[in-house]
Amino acid sequence: MQAAPVSDLPISVQFDFATGIFEPWLELQDRRLSNLKEMFYDQERVRNILSEGDPVIYEIRYHPFQTSTSDMSLGVTRIYPGKIGDEYHMTKGHFHERLDQPEIYFCIHGEGYLLMETREGDFRAAPWKPGTITHIPPMWAHRVVNTGKDTLFFVASYHLAAGHDYDAVTRRGFAQVVVEREGKAVLMPNPRR
Ligand code: S6P
Ligand code: ZN
């Protein structure tokens, strides 16, 4: 993320509920399979897909509202439908670097789960549908999984200073993964743990 412009004036952006895109945004990041290849449990399937291409799994638009005394930020993530093997598309997932930083996620469109886990192993999976708003307390890693046929998009509100720590999730994943069984999304213990 580039340094955010500082403005002490109120700023509004306009969100399109049909597309999940707001304007103006200041930064757009694509997350391709190669950026999160360690996250999926079926590593053979990951290698097969990457040998033929590098699909975009999700994208994030950011607008950091940096003032001279505060650092609230807006992020909208759009996860495309699909699976890697039988595991649904999902975000990388992370802890916040700072131990006192929570976050609020608003599900706008699509269906899936918000997975959350502490370093001590307490795990929660919040079922998500449009209108679900979840408060993620400090020290809970968070990952969103799209189990539907449409793009899932959600709004995130957090402080820039929270920071992102991807290490633990990259090494261990979450306690459970979300996979398709007989046409349905089910949670199962992470086979890589
Ligand atoms: C930031 C917030 C979101 C995520 C985004 C992508 O704290 O939680 O904006 O960055 O949903 O997820 P990830 O795990 O790839 O950063
Ligand atoms: Zn976060």
Side-chain angles (χ1 to χ4, degrees), residues 1-5 11 13 15 20-31 58-66 71-78 91-94 96 103 105 154-160 163-164 166:
M1 167 91 57
Q2 292 160 7
I11 296 172
V13 299
F15 184 82
I21 294 173
F22 69 88
E23 303 271 358
W25 43 270
L26 295 188
E27 182 164 339
L28 171 64
Q29 284 183 13
D30 278 339
R31 292 266 212 274
Y58 60 103
E59 61 171 32
I60 319 149
R61 282 181 175 75
Y62 295 103
H63 197 307
F65 300 108
Q66 179 85 56
D71 65 349
M72 187 62 88
S73 184
L74 170 70
V76 175
T77 303
R78 300 169 73 245
T91 60
K92 257 177 131 160
H94 58 269
H96 290 160
E103 181 158 8
Y105 274 5
F154 66 95
V155 175
S157 178
Y158 60 101
H159 287 120
L160 289 174
H164 295 89
Y166 294 99

